[in-house]
Amino acid sequence: MVTGMKKQVRLFRSERGYTTLELLVTVGIMGTIAAMAAVQIGLARPAFKGDGAMRQVVAQMNIARELAITQRRFVQIAFTVDNQVRLTRENVPNGTTVIQTVPLEGGIRFGLTPGVPDTPDNFGNAAAISFGAAALMRFTTEGQLVDQAGAPISGSVFLNWPGTGQGQERAARAVTILGATGRIRGYRWDGRNWKRI
């Protein structure tokens, strides 16, 4: 009979659940982990936005190049306002057709980030859109990027997140293009160096 009571007492103890102290410790640990995650997401947010905008610019350059090759027409690429990429097809025998105008997402703009040097390609960083003296940039039917005179041009497009501080530096991105071949590269600034993506 005594052993039966011991089993019954054990059953009652195991059904009691958690103590208030155990619940408070669990909630405290979960709160600490959530706060750490929120801080990390906040620090990573500018980088995600910069990556997204850089991919948009690379995609628009690739689309313009492929359209020029497949449609056998010159396709102009222009970086308008401070955050839009416009593609325009040159029609034969004359006239143009705007194919698309795409705004950059996430508040990213064309711009230089203070203290961030030129990319390893060294095409220049005198301005956010750095293609020398070219007044017009267009892809040829062979995939080259040329100026209004038909000479191949190379250049860089720099992206930043308006504001100050580490967020701006974490969002710094660049896209370069070698005009003679149409090779397009994306770069991410890691705080000390440009890393090719």
Side-chain angles (χ1 to χ4, degrees):
M1 184 103 160
V2 175
T3 56
M5 278 181 59
K6 284 184 182 180
K7 283 184 182 178
Q8 207 171 21
V9 170
R10 283 188 197 144
L11 284 176
F12 288 133
R13 283 188 183 164
S14 65
E15 291 177 3
R16 284 189 329 188
Y18 297 104
T19 66
T20 304
L21 180 61
E22 290 170 330
L23 288 174
L24 286 174
V25 169
T26 303
V27 168
I29 290 170
M30 289 172 51
T32 303
I33 291 171
M36 290 170 39
V39 168
Q40 290 303 316
I41 289 171
L43 292 174
R45 186 171 162 234
F48 293 147
K49 288 183 177 218
D51 284 347
M54 179 194 62
R55 286 187 182 102
Q56 279 184 291
V57 172
V58 169
Q60 292 306 304
M61 287 183 165
N62 281 322
I63 289 169
R65 184 172 186 270
E66 293 302 317
L67 284 173
I69 293 168
T70 58
Q71 295 184 4
R72 307 301 292 164
R73 301 282 183 270
F74 285 103
V75 176
Q76 299 173 12
I77 186 163
F79 303 96
T80 60
V81 192
D82 58 355
N83 72 337
Q84 293 181 353
V85 183
R86 184 178 61 229
L87 305 182
T88 307
R89 182 182 58 235
E90 296 180 10
N91 300 324
V92 174
N94 56 17
T96 60
T97 302
V98 175
I99 298 168
Q100 63 186 14
T101 301
V102 178
L104 300 180
E105 298 172 355
I108 300 294
R109 306 213 174 267
F110 303 122
L112 297 171
T113 304
V116 176
D118 195 4
T119 66
D121 290 337
N122 292 315
F123 293 148
N125 66 342
I129 311 299
S130 186
F131 286 89
L136 175 74
M137 297 173 288
R138 59 188 184 170
F139 285 95
T140 68
T141 57
E142 290 83 31
Q144 295 180 318
L145 183 69
V146 298
D147 63 10
Q148 60 277 6
I153 54 170
S154 299
S156 303
V157 177
F158 292 92
L159 306 167
N160 76 359
W161 192 22
T164 58
Q166 282 189 326
Q168 185 183 28
E169 191 173 282
R170 283 191 177 100
R173 301 293 182 268
V175 177
T176 63
I177 182 163
L178 179 62
T181 63
R183 183 206 69 216
I184 301 164
R185 288 184 175 168
Y187 288 95
R188 173 189 297 139
W189 180 252
D190 72 357
R192 286 181 281 162
N193 299 302
W194 285 107
K195 298 290 183 189
R196 186 172 158 205
I197 306 256

